[in-house]
Amino acid sequence: MIVTIDRLGHLGHGIARDQDSGPIYVPGTLPGEVVEGTLDGDRLIDPKIVTPSPDRVKPPCRHARACGGCQLQHASDAFVAQWKQHVIETALAGQGLTAEFLPLVTSPPNSRRRATLSARRTKSGVLIGFHARASDTIAEIPDCQLLHPGILAAFPGLQALVMAGGSRTTELSLQVTLTRGGPDVVVSGGKALDSALRMDLARLVETHAFSRLTWDGETVALRDRPALTMGQATVVPPPGAFLQATQEGEAALLHAVKHALGPQKRIVDLFSGVGTFTLPLAEKMEVHAVEGDPAMTKALDLAARNTPNLHRISTETRDLFRRPLEPDELLTFTGAVIDPPRAGAEAQTQTLATSKIPVIAAVSCNPVTFARDAKTLIAQGYRLDWVQVVDQFRWSTHIELVARLSRP
Ligand SMILES: C[S@@+](CC[C@H](N)C(=O)[O-])C[C@H]1O[C@@H](n2cnc3c(N)ncnc32)[C@H](O)[C@@H]1O
């Protein structure tokens, strides 16, 4: 069967339209390409590109075919940039909105300082990597173009951890974060801890200079503080706490948030995490940070107290889905940052929309919930000034953005 790819779906698959059978999904293809293959359900298997797109490039990574870590290595950077912007435009159009876009900023290759890898013991040793495409097998990735060299350098230590505490029947998840004290590793799915395993793991943390090891929820070794720099502050995040995936992405998001806010006196940082925005912003303005996870609020609070010369930072642990800040609590702020999880911030946006806060810097990792929340604000008199895509998930379908909303 021969089909022409019409568009990309949200998972990065090419989609061809067939009048008889409905949409046909063809992974690894681009709009405009003519593809030949065998129809299997709603997928075209063994696809051969008959007419390639001018946007097609040779994947920069030699693992691209086998590994499922990246979905868009076969597309040019310009195509990916345009596609990500188009996904946001489509989500906004669904709410009857349009926006002006600032130029997209993409993190460079080999910049992921935080990654979650899959691992398993095998007959001959240990396998660590990302899942292969649409499969539960793990693809090895020694020359990965995504991960920071510091994470790739941690692989021998990670292999030793899996050898010591993994089994051949269960897959482990390894979340690795590069910190000033060395890689901070959070393992789930490992063998149950007993005293022998605890000792083995603690020894491996020393040998491989990891900063901290957390094993199925328990911190089993702390060799050095897993510290991160945020502005002038030093933060020690709790194990597994949310963190922007690349340092460059974090800097681009912060730059856009500062650009959106302009000079301010006192702002509120909603869904503040460990203070990615709060701490650097407090060099210029007072910040009230609100976050649902008490361990993260505590880490932010400690960092704030140990950093001289910041404007006042206050923190609050609060579930902003159930108990959003009410209009009377928003009265004293001259600006707001809001950076919710993928579900968006429906309840908090409703009270923000009725506030008098002149400017909002909205950060989002989900164009659909962003568009829904933007519509709520716009319905109450806010204007969408601009949107900027910050692509810190290079070669993936993941989309991150900052937008400025203001009261005219
Ligand atoms: C996308 S992260 C942003 C964190 C921070 N702004 C940053 O850039 O590092 C979303 C944050 O919202 C927090 N969160 C999730 N659900 C929440 C809720 N219902 N109430 C308050 N905070 C919540 C998470 O713990 C996480 O820190």
Side-chain angles (χ1 to χ4, degrees):
M1 164 176 218
I2 295 186
V3 297
T4 302
I5 303 301
D6 187 43
R7 63 192 170 91
L8 283 196
H10 69 286
L11 297 176
H13 295 348
I15 302 178
R17 248 198 308 232
D18 183 85
Q19 272 160 359
D20 303 327
S21 63
I24 299 173
Y25 297 91
V26 196
T29 57
L30 296 173
E33 290 189 324
V34 178
V35 188
E36 185 171 9
T38 310
L39 191 64
D40 180 11
D42 60 358
R43 286 168 75 92
L44 206 63
I45 54 169
D46 297 329
K48 286 183 191 53
I49 313 285
V50 179
T51 313
S53 156
D55 294 310
R56 177 168 286 277
V57 297
K58 184 172 181 290
C61 178
R62 74 176 172 94
H63 307 303
R65 247 182 181 285
C67 173
C70 294
Q71 297 85 44
L72 293 171
Q73 287 227 346
H74 56 289
S76 68
D77 284 358
F79 173 86
V80 175
Q82 209 180 29
W83 180 72
K84 291 196 173 184
Q85 179 168 323
H86 178 69
V87 172
I88 300 170
E89 283 169 338
T90 306
L92 286 171
Q95 301 287 351
L97 304 174
T98 56
E100 182 194 320
F101 280 78
L102 302 187
L104 165 145
V105 190
T106 306
S107 292
N110 292 114
S111 61
R112 282 283 291 275
R113 59 158 171 194
R114 148 74 59 95
T116 302
L117 301 159
S118 299
R120 184 190 284 284
R121 271 183 69 169
T122 64
K123 260 191 207 158
S124 52
V126 166
L127 206 55
I128 298 183
F130 293 117
H131 275 274
R133 286 175 195 282
S135 135
D136 59 3
T137 59
I138 298 168
E140 278 190 297
I141 47 164
D143 290 331
C144 176
Q145 303 291 302
L146 206 59
L147 298 180
H148 191 286
I151 293 193
L152 290 170
F155 268 47
L158 298 174
Q159 277 158 353
L161 289 181
V162 176
M163 201 63 177
S167 76
R168 277 175 50 193
T169 48
T170 320
E171 190 173 299
L172 281 80
S173 152
L174 314 175
Q175 187 204 63
V176 189
T177 309
L178 291 182
T179 73
R180 284 180 359 213
D184 180 19
V185 184
V186 176
V187 176
S188 52
K191 280 190 202 158
L193 285 165
D194 58 22
S195 56
L197 180 56
R198 271 175 217 279
M199 273 167 57
D200 277 355
L201 295 176
R203 186 178 44 78
L204 291 172
V205 166
E206 285 297 323
T207 311
H208 295 280
F210 292 149
S211 53
R212 174 172 61 184
L213 174 64
T214 306
W215 197 265
D216 283 316
E218 184 182 330
T219 295
V220 290
L222 180 66
R223 189 191 62 88
D224 198 349
R225 282 195 321 159
L228 296 168
T229 305
M230 291 182 174
Q232 289 160 20
T234 292
V235 187
V236 178
F242 177 88
L243 182 71
Q244 301 295 347
T246 71
Q247 211 153 23
E248 293 81 354
E250 179 176 302
L253 291 170
L254 176 63
H255 185 268
V257 164
K258 284 180 173 170
H259 178 48
L261 289 176
Q264 294 291 340
K265 210 170 148 29
R266 176 169 152 78
I267 65 139
V268 63
D269 182 5
L270 299 159
F271 304 91
S272 64
V274 294
T276 306
F277 303 127
T278 296
L279 290 160
L281 288 175
E283 289 165 21
K284 294 275 165 56
M285 57 194 81
E286 273 186 35
V287 187
H288 181 58
V290 191
E291 160 63 43
D293 177 344
M296 289 171 90
T297 317
K298 196 171 158 199
L300 165 53
D301 210 33
L302 198 64
R305 276 190 279 124
N306 289 331
T307 312
N309 303 322
L310 293 182
H311 289 252
R312 184 165 182 272
I313 293 177
S314 48
T315 59
E316 184 178 352
T317 304
R318 180 156 166 170
D319 183 335
L320 293 172
F321 289 176
R322 288 160 187 263
R323 275 203 324 123
L325 262 65
E326 294 298 333
D328 61 322
E329 296 174 283
L330 294 168
L331 284 174
T332 60
F333 302 115
T334 55
V337 179
I338 184 161
D339 182 13
R342 287 190 65 75
E346 200 166 15
Q348 184 59 82
T349 303
Q350 263 154 21
T351 68
L352 261 184
T354 61
S355 79
K356 300 224 160 12
I357 294 181
V359 61
I360 299 172
V363 184
S364 169
C365 57
N366 183 342
V368 172
T369 55
F370 163 70
R372 177 200 68 197
D373 293 347
K375 187 177 184 185
T376 304
L377 292 166
I378 289 163
Q380 295 292 332
Y382 280 90
R383 182 180 62 194
L384 179 55
D385 298 314
W386 49 257
V387 176
Q388 179 169 40
V389 183
V390 173
D391 192 5
Q392 54 177 340
F393 293 92
R394 207 190 166 89
W395 299 311
S396 86
T397 54
H398 193 95
I399 294 174
E400 200 115 23
L401 66 91
V402 180
R404 181 179 200 270
L405 291 119
S406 65
R407 284 205 174 277

PDB file of all heavy atoms in Angstrom, residues 125-138:
ATOM      1  N   GLY A 125      25.194  -9.714  31.868  1.00  0.00           N
ATOM      2  CA  GLY A 125      25.584  -8.496  32.591  1.00  0.00           C
ATOM      3  C   GLY A 125      24.398  -7.617  32.896  1.00  0.00           C
ATOM      4  O   GLY A 125      23.408  -8.066  33.470  1.00  0.00           O
ATOM      5  N   VAL A 126      24.471  -6.356  32.442  1.00  0.00           N
ATOM      6  CA  VAL A 126      23.429  -5.380  32.760  1.00  0.00           C
ATOM      7  C   VAL A 126      23.126  -4.558  31.516  1.00  0.00           C
ATOM      8  O   VAL A 126      24.025  -4.211  30.755  1.00  0.00           O
ATOM      9  CB  VAL A 126      23.930  -4.443  33.886  1.00  0.00           C
ATOM     10  CG1 VAL A 126      23.037  -3.226  34.024  1.00  0.00           C
ATOM     11  CG2 VAL A 126      23.995  -5.172  35.220  1.00  0.00           C
ATOM     12  N   LEU A 127      21.856  -4.265  31.322  1.00  0.00           N
ATOM     13  CA  LEU A 127      21.431  -3.444  30.189  1.00  0.00           C
ATOM     14  C   LEU A 127      20.848  -2.150  30.747  1.00  0.00           C
ATOM     15  O   LEU A 127      19.961  -2.189  31.604  1.00  0.00           O
ATOM     16  CB  LEU A 127      20.335  -4.226  29.463  1.00  0.00           C
ATOM     17  CG  LEU A 127      20.077  -3.998  27.997  1.00  0.00           C
ATOM     18  CD1 LEU A 127      21.347  -4.183  27.189  1.00  0.00           C
ATOM     19  CD2 LEU A 127      19.007  -4.980  27.527  1.00  0.00           C
ATOM     20  N   ILE A 128      21.361  -0.988  30.285  1.00  0.00           N
ATOM     21  CA  ILE A 128      20.793   0.301  30.721  1.00  0.00           C
ATOM     22  C   ILE A 128      20.545   1.152  29.489  1.00  0.00           C
ATOM     23  O   ILE A 128      21.403   1.251  28.611  1.00  0.00           O
ATOM     24  CB  ILE A 128      21.757   1.061  31.655  1.00  0.00           C
ATOM     25  CG1 ILE A 128      22.022   0.250  32.928  1.00  0.00           C
ATOM     26  CG2 ILE A 128      21.196   2.428  32.026  1.00  0.00           C
ATOM     27  CD1 ILE A 128      22.907   0.949  33.930  1.00  0.00           C
ATOM     28  N   GLY A 129      19.386   1.778  29.415  1.00  0.00           N
ATOM     29  CA  GLY A 129      19.115   2.663  28.276  1.00  0.00           C
ATOM     30  C   GLY A 129      17.679   3.122  28.298  1.00  0.00           C
ATOM     31  O   GLY A 129      17.024   3.136  29.342  1.00  0.00           O
ATOM     32  N   PHE A 130      17.216   3.508  27.110  1.00  0.00           N
ATOM     33  CA  PHE A 130      15.800   3.851  26.963  1.00  0.00           C
ATOM     34  C   PHE A 130      15.103   2.669  26.311  1.00  0.00           C
ATOM     35  O   PHE A 130      15.751   1.835  25.675  1.00  0.00           O
ATOM     36  CB  PHE A 130      15.650   5.094  26.082  1.00  0.00           C
ATOM     37  CG  PHE A 130      16.199   6.350  26.711  1.00  0.00           C
ATOM     38  CD1 PHE A 130      17.254   7.030  26.134  1.00  0.00           C
ATOM     39  CD2 PHE A 130      15.655   6.858  27.882  1.00  0.00           C
ATOM     40  CE1 PHE A 130      17.767   8.197  26.699  1.00  0.00           C
ATOM     41  CE2 PHE A 130      16.159   8.019  28.467  1.00  0.00           C
ATOM     42  CZ  PHE A 130      17.208   8.684  27.870  1.00  0.00           C
ATOM     43  N   HIS A 131      13.786   2.643  26.453  1.00  0.00           N
ATOM     44  CA  HIS A 131      13.032   1.581  25.794  1.00  0.00           C
ATOM     45  C   HIS A 131      13.128   1.722  24.292  1.00  0.00           C
ATOM     46  O   HIS A 131      13.100   2.833  23.766  1.00  0.00           O
ATOM     47  CB  HIS A 131      11.565   1.639  26.210  1.00  0.00           C
ATOM     48  CG  HIS A 131      11.337   0.907  27.487  1.00  0.00           C
ATOM     49  ND1 HIS A 131      11.090  -0.429  27.519  1.00  0.00           N
ATOM     50  CD2 HIS A 131      11.387   1.302  28.776  1.00  0.00           C
ATOM     51  CE1 HIS A 131      10.980  -0.820  28.772  1.00  0.00           C
ATOM     52  NE2 HIS A 131      11.155   0.220  29.559  1.00  0.00           N
ATOM     53  N   ALA A 132      13.231   0.575  23.616  1.00  0.00           N
ATOM     54  CA  ALA A 132      13.190   0.594  22.146  1.00  0.00           C
ATOM     55  C   ALA A 132      11.798   1.058  21.723  1.00  0.00           C
ATOM     56  O   ALA A 132      10.853   1.032  22.526  1.00  0.00           O
ATOM     57  CB  ALA A 132      13.478  -0.786  21.603  1.00  0.00           C
ATOM     58  N   ARG A 133      11.686   1.482  20.472  1.00  0.00           N
ATOM     59  CA  ARG A 133      10.394   1.979  19.976  1.00  0.00           C
ATOM     60  C   ARG A 133       9.271   0.975  20.208  1.00  0.00           C
ATOM     61  O   ARG A 133       9.419  -0.187  19.815  1.00  0.00           O
ATOM     62  CB  ARG A 133      10.493   2.207  18.461  1.00  0.00           C
ATOM     63  CG  ARG A 133      11.274   3.410  18.115  1.00  0.00           C
ATOM     64  CD  ARG A 133      11.448   3.549  16.632  1.00  0.00           C
ATOM     65  NE  ARG A 133      12.483   4.518  16.407  1.00  0.00           N
ATOM     66  CZ  ARG A 133      12.300   5.834  16.515  1.00  0.00           C
ATOM     67  NH1 ARG A 133      11.110   6.307  16.819  1.00  0.00           N
ATOM     68  NH2 ARG A 133      13.299   6.668  16.314  1.00  0.00           N
ATOM     69  N   ALA A 134       8.178   1.430  20.793  1.00  0.00           N
ATOM     70  CA  ALA A 134       6.967   0.630  20.997  1.00  0.00           C
ATOM     71  C   ALA A 134       7.283  -0.774  21.490  1.00  0.00           C
ATOM     72  O   ALA A 134       6.772  -1.760  20.953  1.00  0.00           O
ATOM     73  CB  ALA A 134       6.174   0.573  19.686  1.00  0.00           C
ATOM     74  N   SER A 135       8.161  -0.886  22.472  1.00  0.00           N
ATOM     75  CA  SER A 135       8.572  -2.218  22.907  1.00  0.00           C
ATOM     76  C   SER A 135       9.013  -2.145  24.367  1.00  0.00           C
ATOM     77  O   SER A 135       9.332  -1.079  24.877  1.00  0.00           O
ATOM     78  CB  SER A 135       9.723  -2.664  22.003  1.00  0.00           C
ATOM     79  OG  SER A 135      10.751  -3.233  22.741  1.00  0.00           O
ATOM     80  N   ASP A 136       9.029  -3.317  25.034  1.00  0.00           N
ATOM     81  CA  ASP A 136       9.527  -3.272  26.405  1.00  0.00           C
ATOM     82  C   ASP A 136      10.981  -3.722  26.497  1.00  0.00           C
ATOM     83  O   ASP A 136      11.495  -3.965  27.573  1.00  0.00           O
ATOM     84  CB  ASP A 136       8.605  -4.046  27.364  1.00  0.00           C
ATOM     85  CG  ASP A 136       8.460  -5.491  26.966  1.00  0.00           C
ATOM     86  OD1 ASP A 136       9.117  -5.885  25.979  1.00  0.00           O
ATOM     87  OD2 ASP A 136       7.692  -6.213  27.633  1.00  0.00           O
ATOM     88  N   THR A 137      11.651  -3.871  25.349  1.00  0.00           N
ATOM     89  CA  THR A 137      13.084  -4.170  25.423  1.00  0.00           C
ATOM     90  C   THR A 137      13.849  -2.854  25.603  1.00  0.00           C
ATOM     91  O   THR A 137      13.367  -1.773  25.232  1.00  0.00           O
ATOM     92  CB  THR A 137      13.605  -4.885  24.150  1.00  0.00           C
ATOM     93  OG1 THR A 137      13.333  -4.027  23.052  1.00  0.00           O
ATOM     94  CG2 THR A 137      12.937  -6.229  23.940  1.00  0.00           C
ATOM     95  N   ILE A 138      15.037  -2.959  26.168  1.00  0.00           N
ATOM     96  CA  ILE A 138      15.837  -1.758  26.452  1.00  0.00           C
ATOM     97  C   ILE A 138      16.940  -1.649  25.406  1.00  0.00           C
ATOM     98  O   ILE A 138      17.644  -2.622  25.143  1.00  0.00           O
ATOM     99  CB  ILE A 138      16.441  -1.860  27.872  1.00  0.00           C
ATOM    100  CG1 ILE A 138      15.314  -1.919  28.909  1.00  0.00           C
ATOM    101  CG2 ILE A 138      17.374  -0.690  28.159  1.00  0.00           C
ATOM    102  CD1 ILE A 138      15.783  -2.299  30.302  1.00  0.00           C
TER     103      ILE A 138
END
